[in-house]
Amino acid sequence: MEKIKMVAPCLFGVEGIAADEFRRMGFEEVTVEDGRVLLSGDYNMLARANINSRFAERILILLGEFNAISFTELFDGVKALPWEDFIGRDDAFPVNGHSINSALFSIPDCQSIIKKAIVERLRQKYNVSWFEETGPEYRVRFSIHKDKVSLMIDTSGEGLHKRGYRRNSNDAPLKETLGAAMCDLARIYPDTLLFDPMCGSGTLLIEAALMATKTASGLRRSFAAERFGCVPQKAWQQERMRAQDLIIHNVDFRAQGFDIDEKAVQLTLANAKKAGVEKYVKAAIGDVCNFTPPDERCLIITNPPYGERLLDVRAAEQLYKTMGERFIRGNGRKYFIISPHDEFEKHFGADADKRRKLYNGMIKCQLFMYFKSDFNDRKDRIK
């Protein structure tokens, strides 16, 4: 069959990581753009992307793109696309999307015009006058940015950050896709010893365990396109079997979380069990003020609370100071800390060896990476 064009929206700052992952999956045509990655492949690759992607927010079929500054141009452009290749005569096709810096700025009007254009196209192709829309739902998404219109069909359903293991969470959970990106940048191996002294609902620990065991992030959930008539069920069966075969069992990976909230500790353990990695993830009550990393090679990844989340700014700054005092370097210890605070390094007491801009939802953050052995010497110099 002809290759399907796909688009994978990503958190800003994660696009390159996601693109590398898609290439490892076997995609040959991968293009990185701001906030998204463009792909092409058959239905097996569409299923593979949904089941395996740790970093994409969802997988969309890209029907087409064109420029439009009037509703007539929008209607004609939408009507010209091959909707019948995917949507059947009984299928539902709700429309939603957004418009930014474009002449066509009214979302309700754009939704109405796009819906009418699709109906007109399908009416002519199927020779029917009315669509009951009682079949599977093909959610149509549109994006209009600077008058460029993109029309897509959502194949994921719930966002891919919803792995299926975290139905409950603490007050300010880290998005799973962002947690996975942090783990990827920190380099997780099958024998990694990992700590998170402020683990919350356990996202970082669980994402790292999934990564260490090469367990596909979407194995325990379903996807909208599994109900699409155009996508063969065999594709999903084959790709789930492929993902199962890639899992590495009985690795030496160990993850230990701590949190001052007993409910968070219990939530971490429950989520790890739902994710199938309870064998590798442990959690206990503990205050970062008392945290002491072991005197051996290990990795500490954490998402401390900050002003926009749970603490006021001054409390967050005091927490960063405490972390700087407790996070002792040497003997192969490495630290990866995400924060939106512009002066995190000042309060922590040391300049990062490397920084990476990432977005936690709409909050611009930096991932501060400490991995060189002169960490404590530089702490002395910065005071």
Side-chain angles (χ1 to χ4, degrees):
M1 63 169 290
E2 186 177 340
K3 288 185 177 180
I4 306 163
K5 292 182 179 179
M6 293 170 253
V7 57
C10 308
L11 294 171
F12 286 106
V14 178
E15 303 95 335
I17 297 172
D20 288 341
E21 179 185 49
F22 286 126
R23 293 186 185 102
R24 291 194 298 270
M25 284 185 208
F27 282 94
E28 296 179 353
E29 300 173 13
V30 179
T31 304
V32 177
E33 296 184 353
D34 288 343
R36 68 180 195 172
V37 179
L38 301 179
L39 313 162
S40 64
D42 59 15
Y43 284 126
N44 268 73
M45 296 304 290
L46 183 150
R48 184 178 301 181
N50 272 295
I51 293 169
N52 291 276
S53 181
R54 303 185 193 280
F55 313 116
E57 295 302 306
R58 57 183 68 247
I59 304 298
L60 309 169
I61 296 172
L62 182 61
L63 265 289
E65 295 181 309
F66 55 87
N67 290 326
I69 58 173
S70 70
F71 288 126
T72 298
E73 291 178 335
L74 179 62
F75 182 93
D76 292 342
V78 173
K79 185 182 175 183
L81 299 176
W83 297 99
E84 67 280 1
D85 288 352
F86 303 97
I87 302 175
R89 67 175 65 216
D90 297 320
D91 298 333
F93 46 100
V95 176
N96 55 59
H98 63 270
S99 178
I100 302 173
N101 297 329
S102 300
L104 303 176
F105 57 85
S106 170
I107 302 303
D109 287 338
C110 290
Q111 287 176 304
S112 178
I113 293 297
I114 291 170
K115 181 76 173 186
K116 288 178 181 178
I118 298 172
V119 167
E120 185 61 27
R121 169 85 182 199
L122 295 180
R123 180 183 292 145
Q124 293 176 0
K125 293 295 179 179
Y126 294 132
N127 195 27
V128 296
S129 59
W130 181 258
F131 292 93
E132 295 289 344
E133 298 195 46
T134 57
E137 185 176 86
Y138 290 67
R139 190 168 293 276
V140 176
R141 295 182 178 270
F142 68 87
S143 168
I144 308 177
H145 183 233
K146 295 182 179 179
D147 301 324
K148 182 180 179 180
V149 182
S150 300
L151 272 302
M152 298 152 289
I153 295 175
D154 183 4
T155 72
S156 300
E158 286 192 307
L160 295 182
H161 70 280
K162 295 187 177 181
R163 320 296 206 198
Y165 66 75
R166 200 177 74 177
R167 295 298 178 186
N168 299 310
S169 61
N170 59 344
D171 290 336
L174 185 75
K175 208 169 187 180
E176 292 90 334
T177 43
L178 179 58
M182 291 171 60
C183 291
D184 184 80
L185 290 166
R187 298 289 184 266
I188 301 297
Y189 297 102
D191 62 347
T192 293
L193 173 59
L194 172 68
F195 293 89
D196 182 353
M198 292 165 279
C199 65
S201 56
T203 301
L204 288 165
L205 304 172
I206 294 167
E207 290 298 321
L210 293 173
M211 199 171 286
T213 56
K214 296 191 182 300
T215 302
S217 55
L219 261 180
R220 292 176 174 246
R221 56 159 288 176
S222 60
F223 305 94
E226 290 186 75
R227 299 180 290 277
F228 288 6
C230 59
V231 183
Q233 284 299 308
K234 187 177 180 180
W236 295 101
Q237 295 166 2
Q238 290 174 337
E239 292 305 321
R240 287 187 184 279
M241 288 178 61
R242 175 185 178 275
Q244 288 282 1
D245 290 342
L246 290 175
I247 296 175
I248 304 174
H249 300 280
N250 299 318
V251 297
D252 292 330
F253 174 85
R254 290 169 290 157
Q256 174 70 56
F258 298 98
D259 202 283
I260 58 173
D261 185 352
E262 183 179 0
K263 290 182 179 179
V265 170
Q266 296 304 317
L267 196 54
T268 293
L269 296 173
N271 288 340
K273 186 174 182 179
K274 290 177 186 175
V277 294
E278 70 273 21
K279 176 180 178 180
Y280 305 104
V281 176
K282 308 301 178 185
I285 297 174
D287 193 323
V288 69
C289 296
N290 303 317
F291 175 73
T292 301
D295 192 19
E296 61 179 300
R297 180 171 61 91
C298 62
L299 185 62
I300 293 86
I301 311 177
T302 194
N303 173 37
Y306 42 75
E308 288 87 344
R309 290 174 60 232
L310 301 177
L311 300 180
D312 61 52
V313 174
R314 287 194 175 183
E317 291 172 352
Q318 180 57 48
L319 175 62
Y320 299 154
K321 182 176 183 293
T322 299
M323 291 164 58
E325 294 168 351
R326 303 303 304 179
F327 288 8
I328 303 168
R329 278 280 282 278
N331 290 345
R333 304 183 191 95
K334 300 178 181 180
Y335 298 87
F336 290 73
I337 309 158
I338 191 169
S339 172
H341 199 304
D342 292 334
E343 296 186 328
F344 168 84
E345 291 159 302
K346 172 185 174 182
H347 297 285
F348 184 72
D351 292 332
D353 299 313
K354 190 176 181 181
R355 294 186 296 274
R356 175 75 174 250
K357 186 187 297 183
L358 296 170
Y359 279 79
N360 189 0
M362 297 303 294
I363 303 172
K364 184 176 73 173
C365 300
Q366 294 276 357
L367 180 63
F368 298 93
M369 302 177 243
Y370 297 87
F371 47 81
K372 293 182 180 178
S373 59
D374 64 343
F375 172 72
N376 293 103
D377 291 338
R378 288 184 294 111
K379 282 177 64 176
D380 293 336
R381 293 199 303 269
I382 203 170
K383 290 179 181 178

